[in-house]
Amino acid sequence: MTDYEQFVGSIKRKTSIDLALYKEAQMKRRLTSLYEKKGFKSFIEFFNALDRDRELLDEFLDRMTINVSEFYRNGKRWEVLQNKVFPRLLQQNKKLKIWSAACSTGEEPYSLAMTLSNHVPLSQISITATDLDENAIAKAKAGIYPERSLAEVPKDIQAKYFDKEGSFYKVKDEIKRTVSFKKHNLLKDTYDQNYDLIVCRNVMIYFTEEAKDQIYDNFSKSLRSGGVLFVGSTEQIFNPSRYQFDIEDTFFYRKM
């Protein structure tokens, strides 16, 4: 057994996170960079330190999760969501049940609320947003972002739903109230049911094929018939019918 394999087993016992379900080459490269920066010489030495130091463990968890996000990422897809997907879903259900899975630091669920607000009052919007990383969730709840995160936000939305504070932008409370954040492990925890829309973007690329298969199957079971899964621009599902999906539009999949 290699020292990385021992590390994977030890981390699973300590945190219930199974690193074996992440692509090994990418994860090893990311974590080797971290432990070398911290002055450790092996995965075993690194784990022994993680086992004693909560702050280092938190930094490890932050590094192994992928907290790169921005508002309205890949803007054309958000236009499809606003002009095609939301109108159809709202014909079937006036109060949508929405999940932003692996939401990172909150840009995605807040973008969902802002987009949906073009169709219904904010008082009718309730979005569940989850992530594995508690530090990311804390940042999401604070709702304060650098200007670069807002590069794709339409100017009217930026003026309506953000307050400028120095060089940062803060999401207004009326938007923050539409989103509930909580911790969730896509590879281990149970999934709620009867969602109209599940958004999980730019995360699946880091998982093994086995893990992707498990997650897509769980997403399918969590969506009601006619509900939609919205994925990232590098995450096209090549065999959607395997998960009882039809193609609604590019990167949007409708549950049969």
Side-chain angles (χ1 to χ4, degrees), residues 180-212:
S180 299
F181 292 97
K182 63 181 181 180
K183 185 176 179 180
H184 183 270
N185 184 342
L186 285 170
L187 295 167
K188 172 177 169 284
D189 295 334
T190 57
Y191 290 36
D192 200 359
Q193 303 294 306
N194 296 313
Y195 284 106
D196 296 284
L197 174 67
I198 297 175
V199 183
C200 186
R201 307 179 73 222
N202 310 301
V203 175
M204 303 296 279
I205 51 173
Y206 300 101
F207 292 127
T208 63
E209 291 305 313
E210 174 198 358
K212 286 183 197 174

PDB file of all heavy atoms in Angstrom, residues 180-212:
ATOM      1  N   SER A 180     -30.870  29.197   1.958  1.00  0.00           N
ATOM      2  CA  SER A 180     -30.501  28.517   3.209  1.00  0.00           C
ATOM      3  C   SER A 180     -29.279  27.642   2.934  1.00  0.00           C
ATOM      4  O   SER A 180     -29.323  26.769   2.051  1.00  0.00           O
ATOM      5  CB  SER A 180     -31.645  27.633   3.708  1.00  0.00           C
ATOM      6  OG  SER A 180     -32.787  28.399   3.967  1.00  0.00           O
ATOM      7  N   PHE A 181     -28.205  27.874   3.681  1.00  0.00           N
ATOM      8  CA  PHE A 181     -26.962  27.133   3.475  1.00  0.00           C
ATOM      9  C   PHE A 181     -26.807  26.037   4.531  1.00  0.00           C
ATOM     10  O   PHE A 181     -27.127  26.239   5.702  1.00  0.00           O
ATOM     11  CB  PHE A 181     -25.755  28.075   3.583  1.00  0.00           C
ATOM     12  CG  PHE A 181     -25.665  29.064   2.460  1.00  0.00           C
ATOM     13  CD1 PHE A 181     -26.160  30.357   2.609  1.00  0.00           C
ATOM     14  CD2 PHE A 181     -25.090  28.720   1.245  1.00  0.00           C
ATOM     15  CE1 PHE A 181     -26.081  31.282   1.582  1.00  0.00           C
ATOM     16  CE2 PHE A 181     -25.004  29.640   0.209  1.00  0.00           C
ATOM     17  CZ  PHE A 181     -25.505  30.915   0.380  1.00  0.00           C
ATOM     18  N   LYS A 182     -26.299  24.883   4.104  1.00  0.00           N
ATOM     19  CA  LYS A 182     -25.974  23.827   5.057  1.00  0.00           C
ATOM     20  C   LYS A 182     -24.885  22.920   4.484  1.00  0.00           C
ATOM     21  O   LYS A 182     -24.658  22.882   3.271  1.00  0.00           O
ATOM     22  CB  LYS A 182     -27.217  23.021   5.429  1.00  0.00           C
ATOM     23  CG  LYS A 182     -27.877  22.266   4.290  1.00  0.00           C
ATOM     24  CD  LYS A 182     -29.116  21.527   4.794  1.00  0.00           C
ATOM     25  CE  LYS A 182     -29.783  20.741   3.661  1.00  0.00           C
ATOM     26  NZ  LYS A 182     -30.982  20.009   4.137  1.00  0.00           N
ATOM     27  N   LYS A 183     -24.240  22.175   5.372  1.00  0.00           N
ATOM     28  CA  LYS A 183     -23.174  21.267   4.959  1.00  0.00           C
ATOM     29  C   LYS A 183     -23.781  19.989   4.394  1.00  0.00           C
ATOM     30  O   LYS A 183     -24.757  19.451   4.919  1.00  0.00           O
ATOM     31  CB  LYS A 183     -22.284  20.938   6.167  1.00  0.00           C
ATOM     32  CG  LYS A 183     -21.063  20.089   5.813  1.00  0.00           C
ATOM     33  CD  LYS A 183     -20.176  19.891   7.034  1.00  0.00           C
ATOM     34  CE  LYS A 183     -18.974  19.030   6.693  1.00  0.00           C
ATOM     35  NZ  LYS A 183     -18.097  18.828   7.876  1.00  0.00           N
ATOM     36  N   HIS A 184     -23.187  19.487   3.301  1.00  0.00           N
ATOM     37  CA  HIS A 184     -23.669  18.246   2.684  1.00  0.00           C
ATOM     38  C   HIS A 184     -22.540  17.625   1.869  1.00  0.00           C
ATOM     39  O   HIS A 184     -21.826  18.311   1.149  1.00  0.00           O
ATOM     40  CB  HIS A 184     -24.864  18.531   1.765  1.00  0.00           C
ATOM     41  CG  HIS A 184     -25.458  17.304   1.147  1.00  0.00           C
ATOM     42  ND1 HIS A 184     -25.031  16.795  -0.058  1.00  0.00           N
ATOM     43  CD2 HIS A 184     -26.454  16.475   1.567  1.00  0.00           C
ATOM     44  CE1 HIS A 184     -25.728  15.710  -0.364  1.00  0.00           C
ATOM     45  NE2 HIS A 184     -26.605  15.502   0.605  1.00  0.00           N
ATOM     46  N   ASN A 185     -22.391  16.302   2.010  1.00  0.00           N
ATOM     47  CA  ASN A 185     -21.393  15.537   1.264  1.00  0.00           C
ATOM     48  C   ASN A 185     -22.120  14.765   0.163  1.00  0.00           C
ATOM     49  O   ASN A 185     -22.875  13.841   0.444  1.00  0.00           O
ATOM     50  CB  ASN A 185     -20.673  14.582   2.222  1.00  0.00           C
ATOM     51  CG  ASN A 185     -19.548  13.814   1.549  1.00  0.00           C
ATOM     52  OD1 ASN A 185     -19.488  13.719   0.334  1.00  0.00           O
ATOM     53  ND2 ASN A 185     -18.657  13.258   2.349  1.00  0.00           N
ATOM     54  N   LEU A 186     -21.885  15.137  -1.086  1.00  0.00           N
ATOM     55  CA  LEU A 186     -22.577  14.504  -2.214  1.00  0.00           C
ATOM     56  C   LEU A 186     -22.291  13.010  -2.315  1.00  0.00           C
ATOM     57  O   LEU A 186     -23.083  12.252  -2.873  1.00  0.00           O
ATOM     58  CB  LEU A 186     -22.155  15.171  -3.532  1.00  0.00           C
ATOM     59  CG  LEU A 186     -22.733  16.553  -3.826  1.00  0.00           C
ATOM     60  CD1 LEU A 186     -22.034  17.160  -5.033  1.00  0.00           C
ATOM     61  CD2 LEU A 186     -24.232  16.482  -4.059  1.00  0.00           C
ATOM     62  N   LEU A 187     -21.159  12.587  -1.786  1.00  0.00           N
ATOM     63  CA  LEU A 187     -20.742  11.195  -1.913  1.00  0.00           C
ATOM     64  C   LEU A 187     -21.193  10.320  -0.746  1.00  0.00           C
ATOM     65  O   LEU A 187     -21.014   9.114  -0.778  1.00  0.00           O
ATOM     66  CB  LEU A 187     -19.216  11.124  -2.034  1.00  0.00           C
ATOM     67  CG  LEU A 187     -18.653  11.767  -3.299  1.00  0.00           C
ATOM     68  CD1 LEU A 187     -17.150  11.944  -3.191  1.00  0.00           C
ATOM     69  CD2 LEU A 187     -18.998  10.939  -4.523  1.00  0.00           C
ATOM     70  N   LYS A 188     -21.796  10.940   0.280  1.00  0.00           N
ATOM     71  CA  LYS A 188     -22.101  10.162   1.478  1.00  0.00           C
ATOM     72  C   LYS A 188     -23.494  10.427   2.050  1.00  0.00           C
ATOM     73  O   LYS A 188     -24.183   9.515   2.486  1.00  0.00           O
ATOM     74  CB  LYS A 188     -21.034  10.465   2.539  1.00  0.00           C
ATOM     75  CG  LYS A 188     -21.288   9.900   3.922  1.00  0.00           C
ATOM     76  CD  LYS A 188     -20.110  10.211   4.830  1.00  0.00           C
ATOM     77  CE  LYS A 188     -20.419   9.916   6.276  1.00  0.00           C
ATOM     78  NZ  LYS A 188     -21.291  10.955   6.878  1.00  0.00           N
ATOM     79  N   ASP A 189     -23.922  11.684   2.035  1.00  0.00           N
ATOM     80  CA  ASP A 189     -25.170  12.056   2.719  1.00  0.00           C
ATOM     81  C   ASP A 189     -26.404  11.746   1.874  1.00  0.00           C
ATOM     82  O   ASP A 189     -26.324  11.605   0.651  1.00  0.00           O
ATOM     83  CB  ASP A 189     -25.145  13.544   3.082  1.00  0.00           C
ATOM     84  CG  ASP A 189     -24.053  13.867   4.100  1.00  0.00           C
ATOM     85  OD1 ASP A 189     -23.677  12.959   4.869  1.00  0.00           O
ATOM     86  OD2 ASP A 189     -23.582  15.012   4.100  1.00  0.00           O
ATOM     87  N   THR A 190     -27.555  11.666   2.539  1.00  0.00           N
ATOM     88  CA  THR A 190     -28.812  11.418   1.822  1.00  0.00           C
ATOM     89  C   THR A 190     -29.237  12.668   1.048  1.00  0.00           C
ATOM     90  O   THR A 190     -28.862  13.789   1.395  1.00  0.00           O
ATOM     91  CB  THR A 190     -29.936  11.027   2.800  1.00  0.00           C
ATOM     92  OG1 THR A 190     -30.072  12.068   3.775  1.00  0.00           O
ATOM     93  CG2 THR A 190     -29.627   9.713   3.499  1.00  0.00           C
ATOM     94  N   TYR A 191     -30.020  12.452   0.002  1.00  0.00           N
ATOM     95  CA  TYR A 191     -30.510  13.534  -0.844  1.00  0.00           C
ATOM     96  C   TYR A 191     -32.007  13.714  -0.587  1.00  0.00           C
ATOM     97  O   TYR A 191     -32.749  12.748  -0.502  1.00  0.00           O
ATOM     98  CB  TYR A 191     -30.335  13.185  -2.324  1.00  0.00           C
ATOM     99  CG  TYR A 191     -28.919  13.159  -2.855  1.00  0.00           C
ATOM    100  CD1 TYR A 191     -27.839  12.709  -2.086  1.00  0.00           C
ATOM    101  CD2 TYR A 191     -28.659  13.577  -4.162  1.00  0.00           C
ATOM    102  CE1 TYR A 191     -26.558  12.678  -2.609  1.00  0.00           C
ATOM    103  CE2 TYR A 191     -27.379  13.548  -4.691  1.00  0.00           C
ATOM    104  CZ  TYR A 191     -26.325  13.091  -3.904  1.00  0.00           C
ATOM    105  OH  TYR A 191     -25.063  13.062  -4.426  1.00  0.00           O
ATOM    106  N   ASP A 192     -32.446  14.973  -0.508  1.00  0.00           N
ATOM    107  CA  ASP A 192     -33.875  15.266  -0.395  1.00  0.00           C
ATOM    108  C   ASP A 192     -34.557  14.957  -1.734  1.00  0.00           C
ATOM    109  O   ASP A 192     -33.885  14.702  -2.741  1.00  0.00           O
ATOM    110  CB  ASP A 192     -34.063  16.737   0.000  1.00  0.00           C
ATOM    111  CG  ASP A 192     -35.425  17.013   0.610  1.00  0.00           C
ATOM    112  OD1 ASP A 192     -36.235  16.073   0.706  1.00  0.00           O
ATOM    113  OD2 ASP A 192     -35.682  18.182   0.977  1.00  0.00           O
ATOM    114  N   GLN A 193     -35.878  14.997  -1.754  1.00  0.00           N
ATOM    115  CA  GLN A 193     -36.644  14.562  -2.924  1.00  0.00           C
ATOM    116  C   GLN A 193     -37.507  15.690  -3.502  1.00  0.00           C
ATOM    117  O   GLN A 193     -37.668  16.739  -2.893  1.00  0.00           O
ATOM    118  CB  GLN A 193     -37.563  13.390  -2.538  1.00  0.00           C
ATOM    119  CG  GLN A 193     -36.835  12.195  -1.940  1.00  0.00           C
ATOM    120  CD  GLN A 193     -35.925  11.508  -2.926  1.00  0.00           C
ATOM    121  OE1 GLN A 193     -36.361  11.119  -4.011  1.00  0.00           O
ATOM    122  NE2 GLN A 193     -34.650  11.347  -2.584  1.00  0.00           N
ATOM    123  N   ASN A 194     -38.048  15.422  -4.691  1.00  0.00           N
ATOM    124  CA  ASN A 194     -39.047  16.270  -5.358  1.00  0.00           C
ATOM    125  C   ASN A 194     -38.564  17.678  -5.701  1.00  0.00           C
ATOM    126  O   ASN A 194     -39.311  18.650  -5.604  1.00  0.00           O
ATOM    127  CB  ASN A 194     -40.328  16.352  -4.512  1.00  0.00           C
ATOM    128  CG  ASN A 194     -40.998  14.991  -4.385  1.00  0.00           C
ATOM    129  OD1 ASN A 194     -41.164  14.286  -5.376  1.00  0.00           O
ATOM    130  ND2 ASN A 194     -41.357  14.627  -3.157  1.00  0.00           N
ATOM    131  N   TYR A 195     -37.315  17.782  -6.131  1.00  0.00           N
ATOM    132  CA  TYR A 195     -36.805  19.075  -6.581  1.00  0.00           C
ATOM    133  C   TYR A 195     -37.314  19.394  -7.982  1.00  0.00           C
ATOM    134  O   TYR A 195     -37.452  18.509  -8.829  1.00  0.00           O
ATOM    135  CB  TYR A 195     -35.271  19.077  -6.596  1.00  0.00           C
ATOM    136  CG  TYR A 195     -34.656  19.201  -5.226  1.00  0.00           C
ATOM    137  CD1 TYR A 195     -34.060  18.104  -4.616  1.00  0.00           C
ATOM    138  CD2 TYR A 195     -34.687  20.409  -4.541  1.00  0.00           C
ATOM    139  CE1 TYR A 195     -33.495  18.211  -3.352  1.00  0.00           C
ATOM    140  CE2 TYR A 195     -34.130  20.524  -3.280  1.00  0.00           C
ATOM    141  CZ  TYR A 195     -33.538  19.428  -2.693  1.00  0.00           C
ATOM    142  OH  TYR A 195     -32.998  19.544  -1.445  1.00  0.00           O
ATOM    143  N   ASP A 196     -37.580  20.673  -8.215  1.00  0.00           N
ATOM    144  CA  ASP A 196     -37.885  21.157  -9.556  1.00  0.00           C
ATOM    145  C   ASP A 196     -36.595  21.429 -10.331  1.00  0.00           C
ATOM    146  O   ASP A 196     -36.550  21.253 -11.550  1.00  0.00           O
ATOM    147  CB  ASP A 196     -38.699  22.459  -9.481  1.00  0.00           C
ATOM    148  CG  ASP A 196     -40.049  22.246  -8.836  1.00  0.00           C
ATOM    149  OD1 ASP A 196     -40.941  21.700  -9.504  1.00  0.00           O
ATOM    150  OD2 ASP A 196     -40.204  22.601  -7.650  1.00  0.00           O
ATOM    151  N   LEU A 197     -35.581  21.888  -9.618  1.00  0.00           N
ATOM    152  CA  LEU A 197     -34.307  22.243 -10.258  1.00  0.00           C
ATOM    153  C   LEU A 197     -33.154  21.898  -9.313  1.00  0.00           C
ATOM    154  O   LEU A 197     -33.178  22.272  -8.139  1.00  0.00           O
ATOM    155  CB  LEU A 197     -34.278  23.737 -10.587  1.00  0.00           C
ATOM    156  CG  LEU A 197     -32.962  24.303 -11.139  1.00  0.00           C
ATOM    157  CD1 LEU A 197     -32.659  23.745 -12.529  1.00  0.00           C
ATOM    158  CD2 LEU A 197     -33.003  25.840 -11.191  1.00  0.00           C
ATOM    159  N   ILE A 198     -32.161  21.179  -9.843  1.00  0.00           N
ATOM    160  CA  ILE A 198     -30.896  20.952  -9.132  1.00  0.00           C
ATOM    161  C   ILE A 198     -29.792  21.552  -9.991  1.00  0.00           C
ATOM    162  O   ILE A 198     -29.693  21.269 -11.190  1.00  0.00           O
ATOM    163  CB  ILE A 198     -30.624  19.459  -8.890  1.00  0.00           C
ATOM    164  CG1 ILE A 198     -31.692  18.850  -7.978  1.00  0.00           C
ATOM    165  CG2 ILE A 198     -29.235  19.271  -8.270  1.00  0.00           C
ATOM    166  CD1 ILE A 198     -31.560  17.341  -7.787  1.00  0.00           C
ATOM    167  N   VAL A 199     -28.969  22.388  -9.383  1.00  0.00           N
ATOM    168  CA  VAL A 199     -27.836  22.993 -10.082  1.00  0.00           C
ATOM    169  C   VAL A 199     -26.555  22.473  -9.440  1.00  0.00           C
ATOM    170  O   VAL A 199     -26.349  22.622  -8.230  1.00  0.00           O
ATOM    171  CB  VAL A 199     -27.892  24.531  -9.988  1.00  0.00           C
ATOM    172  CG1 VAL A 199     -26.738  25.141 -10.775  1.00  0.00           C
ATOM    173  CG2 VAL A 199     -29.223  25.052 -10.507  1.00  0.00           C
ATOM    174  N   CYS A 200     -25.714  21.821 -10.244  1.00  0.00           N
ATOM    175  CA  CYS A 200     -24.421  21.328  -9.758  1.00  0.00           C
ATOM    176  C   CYS A 200     -23.431  21.500 -10.899  1.00  0.00           C
ATOM    177  O   CYS A 200     -23.422  20.728 -11.856  1.00  0.00           O
ATOM    178  CB  CYS A 200     -24.518  19.868  -9.326  1.00  0.00           C
ATOM    179  SG  CYS A 200     -22.999  19.249  -8.552  1.00  0.00           S
ATOM    180  N   ARG A 201     -22.594  22.534 -10.806  1.00  0.00           N
ATOM    181  CA  ARG A 201     -21.765  22.936 -11.942  1.00  0.00           C
ATOM    182  C   ARG A 201     -20.289  22.986 -11.582  1.00  0.00           C
ATOM    183  O   ARG A 201     -19.908  23.464 -10.519  1.00  0.00           O
ATOM    184  CB  ARG A 201     -22.209  24.321 -12.441  1.00  0.00           C
ATOM    185  CG  ARG A 201     -23.712  24.400 -12.734  1.00  0.00           C
ATOM    186  CD  ARG A 201     -24.110  25.784 -13.205  1.00  0.00           C
ATOM    187  NE  ARG A 201     -23.670  26.060 -14.547  1.00  0.00           N
ATOM    188  CZ  ARG A 201     -23.151  27.213 -14.950  1.00  0.00           C
ATOM    189  NH1 ARG A 201     -22.986  28.204 -14.102  1.00  0.00           N
ATOM    190  NH2 ARG A 201     -22.782  27.377 -16.199  1.00  0.00           N
ATOM    191  N   ASN A 202     -19.453  22.487 -12.501  1.00  0.00           N
ATOM    192  CA  ASN A 202     -18.000  22.606 -12.384  1.00  0.00           C
ATOM    193  C   ASN A 202     -17.447  21.901 -11.152  1.00  0.00           C
ATOM    194  O   ASN A 202     -16.474  22.359 -10.548  1.00  0.00           O
ATOM    195  CB  ASN A 202     -17.596  24.091 -12.409  1.00  0.00           C
ATOM    196  CG  ASN A 202     -18.219  24.828 -13.581  1.00  0.00           C
ATOM    197  OD1 ASN A 202     -18.000  24.465 -14.728  1.00  0.00           O
ATOM    198  ND2 ASN A 202     -19.039  25.826 -13.299  1.00  0.00           N
ATOM    199  N   VAL A 203     -18.084  20.795 -10.792  1.00  0.00           N
ATOM    200  CA  VAL A 203     -17.637  19.989  -9.654  1.00  0.00           C
ATOM    201  C   VAL A 203     -17.375  18.549 -10.084  1.00  0.00           C
ATOM    202  O   VAL A 203     -16.388  17.936  -9.692  1.00  0.00           O
ATOM    203  CB  VAL A 203     -18.698  20.000  -8.520  1.00  0.00           C
ATOM    204  CG1 VAL A 203     -18.281  19.062  -7.384  1.00  0.00           C
ATOM    205  CG2 VAL A 203     -18.914  21.405  -7.994  1.00  0.00           C
ATOM    206  N   MET A 204     -18.256  18.033 -10.945  1.00  0.00           N
ATOM    207  CA  MET A 204     -18.189  16.621 -11.331  1.00  0.00           C
ATOM    208  C   MET A 204     -16.879  16.259 -12.032  1.00  0.00           C
ATOM    209  O   MET A 204     -16.441  15.115 -11.994  1.00  0.00           O
ATOM    210  CB  MET A 204     -19.361  16.272 -12.242  1.00  0.00           C
ATOM    211  CG  MET A 204     -20.725  16.552 -11.635  1.00  0.00           C
ATOM    212  SD  MET A 204     -21.087  15.550 -10.188  1.00  0.00           S
ATOM    213  CE  MET A 204     -21.614  14.051 -10.988  1.00  0.00           C
ATOM    214  N   ILE A 205     -16.242  17.237 -12.659  1.00  0.00           N
ATOM    215  CA  ILE A 205     -14.987  16.975 -13.369  1.00  0.00           C
ATOM    216  C   ILE A 205     -13.885  16.474 -12.435  1.00  0.00           C
ATOM    217  O   ILE A 205     -12.906  15.896 -12.900  1.00  0.00           O
ATOM    218  CB  ILE A 205     -14.487  18.238 -14.112  1.00  0.00           C
ATOM    219  CG1 ILE A 205     -14.445  19.451 -13.171  1.00  0.00           C
ATOM    220  CG2 ILE A 205     -15.339  18.527 -15.323  1.00  0.00           C
ATOM    221  CD1 ILE A 205     -13.804  20.679 -13.795  1.00  0.00           C
ATOM    222  N   TYR A 206     -14.035  16.666 -11.130  1.00  0.00           N
ATOM    223  CA  TYR A 206     -13.003  16.236 -10.187  1.00  0.00           C
ATOM    224  C   TYR A 206     -13.229  14.824  -9.652  1.00  0.00           C
ATOM    225  O   TYR A 206     -12.390  14.286  -8.939  1.00  0.00           O
ATOM    226  CB  TYR A 206     -12.923  17.230  -9.015  1.00  0.00           C
ATOM    227  CG  TYR A 206     -12.572  18.621  -9.475  1.00  0.00           C
ATOM    228  CD1 TYR A 206     -13.550  19.601  -9.608  1.00  0.00           C
ATOM    229  CD2 TYR A 206     -11.263  18.942  -9.834  1.00  0.00           C
ATOM    230  CE1 TYR A 206     -13.227  20.874 -10.067  1.00  0.00           C
ATOM    231  CE2 TYR A 206     -10.935  20.207 -10.294  1.00  0.00           C
ATOM    232  CZ  TYR A 206     -11.920  21.168 -10.402  1.00  0.00           C
ATOM    233  OH  TYR A 206     -11.603  22.419 -10.864  1.00  0.00           O
ATOM    234  N   PHE A 207     -14.392  14.215  -9.989  1.00  0.00           N
ATOM    235  CA  PHE A 207     -14.734  12.902  -9.465  1.00  0.00           C
ATOM    236  C   PHE A 207     -14.399  11.786 -10.451  1.00  0.00           C
ATOM    237  O   PHE A 207     -14.349  12.006 -11.660  1.00  0.00           O
ATOM    238  CB  PHE A 207     -16.233  12.832  -9.141  1.00  0.00           C
ATOM    239  CG  PHE A 207     -16.661  13.694  -7.992  1.00  0.00           C
ATOM    240  CD1 PHE A 207     -17.705  14.599  -8.136  1.00  0.00           C
ATOM    241  CD2 PHE A 207     -16.043  13.603  -6.757  1.00  0.00           C
ATOM    242  CE1 PHE A 207     -18.111  15.394  -7.085  1.00  0.00           C
ATOM    243  CE2 PHE A 207     -16.438  14.399  -5.699  1.00  0.00           C
ATOM    244  CZ  PHE A 207     -17.480  15.296  -5.853  1.00  0.00           C
ATOM    245  N   THR A 208     -14.213  10.577  -9.918  1.00  0.00           N
ATOM    246  CA  THR A 208     -14.035   9.403 -10.767  1.00  0.00           C
ATOM    247  C   THR A 208     -15.354   9.091 -11.485  1.00  0.00           C
ATOM    248  O   THR A 208     -16.417   9.578 -11.087  1.00  0.00           O
ATOM    249  CB  THR A 208     -13.634   8.181  -9.930  1.00  0.00           C
ATOM    250  OG1 THR A 208     -14.709   7.875  -9.029  1.00  0.00           O
ATOM    251  CG2 THR A 208     -12.352   8.431  -9.133  1.00  0.00           C
ATOM    252  N   GLU A 209     -15.270   8.250 -12.511  1.00  0.00           N
ATOM    253  CA  GLU A 209     -16.484   7.857 -13.240  1.00  0.00           C
ATOM    254  C   GLU A 209     -17.467   7.149 -12.311  1.00  0.00           C
ATOM    255  O   GLU A 209     -18.682   7.337 -12.418  1.00  0.00           O
ATOM    256  CB  GLU A 209     -16.122   6.966 -14.430  1.00  0.00           C
ATOM    257  CG  GLU A 209     -15.374   7.680 -15.545  1.00  0.00           C
ATOM    258  CD  GLU A 209     -16.111   8.909 -16.068  1.00  0.00           C
ATOM    259  OE1 GLU A 209     -17.328   8.809 -16.321  1.00  0.00           O
ATOM    260  OE2 GLU A 209     -15.467   9.967 -16.206  1.00  0.00           O
ATOM    261  N   GLU A 210     -16.951   6.335 -11.404  1.00  0.00           N
ATOM    262  CA  GLU A 210     -17.808   5.628 -10.440  1.00  0.00           C
ATOM    263  C   GLU A 210     -18.578   6.615  -9.570  1.00  0.00           C
ATOM    264  O   GLU A 210     -19.790   6.475  -9.342  1.00  0.00           O
ATOM    265  CB  GLU A 210     -16.941   4.719  -9.556  1.00  0.00           C
ATOM    266  CG  GLU A 210     -17.681   4.037  -8.423  1.00  0.00           C
ATOM    267  CD  GLU A 210     -16.764   3.505  -7.334  1.00  0.00           C
ATOM    268  OE1 GLU A 210     -15.526   3.631  -7.462  1.00  0.00           O
ATOM    269  OE2 GLU A 210     -17.295   2.973  -6.340  1.00  0.00           O
ATOM    270  N   ALA A 211     -17.881   7.638  -9.087  1.00  0.00           N
ATOM    271  CA  ALA A 211     -18.520   8.637  -8.232  1.00  0.00           C
ATOM    272  C   ALA A 211     -19.546   9.460  -9.011  1.00  0.00           C
ATOM    273  O   ALA A 211     -20.647   9.735  -8.527  1.00  0.00           O
ATOM    274  CB  ALA A 211     -17.462   9.554  -7.616  1.00  0.00           C
ATOM    275  N   LYS A 212     -19.193   9.851 -10.245  1.00  0.00           N
ATOM    276  CA  LYS A 212     -20.140  10.598 -11.088  1.00  0.00           C
ATOM    277  C   LYS A 212     -21.424   9.807 -11.300  1.00  0.00           C
ATOM    278  O   LYS A 212     -22.526  10.350 -11.218  1.00  0.00           O
ATOM    279  CB  LYS A 212     -19.519  10.887 -12.459  1.00  0.00           C
ATOM    280  CG  LYS A 212     -18.465  11.964 -12.499  1.00  0.00           C
ATOM    281  CD  LYS A 212     -18.041  12.135 -13.939  1.00  0.00           C
ATOM    282  CE  LYS A 212     -16.734  12.877 -14.040  1.00  0.00           C
ATOM    283  NZ  LYS A 212     -16.240  12.937 -15.416  1.00  0.00           N
TER     284      LYS A 212
END
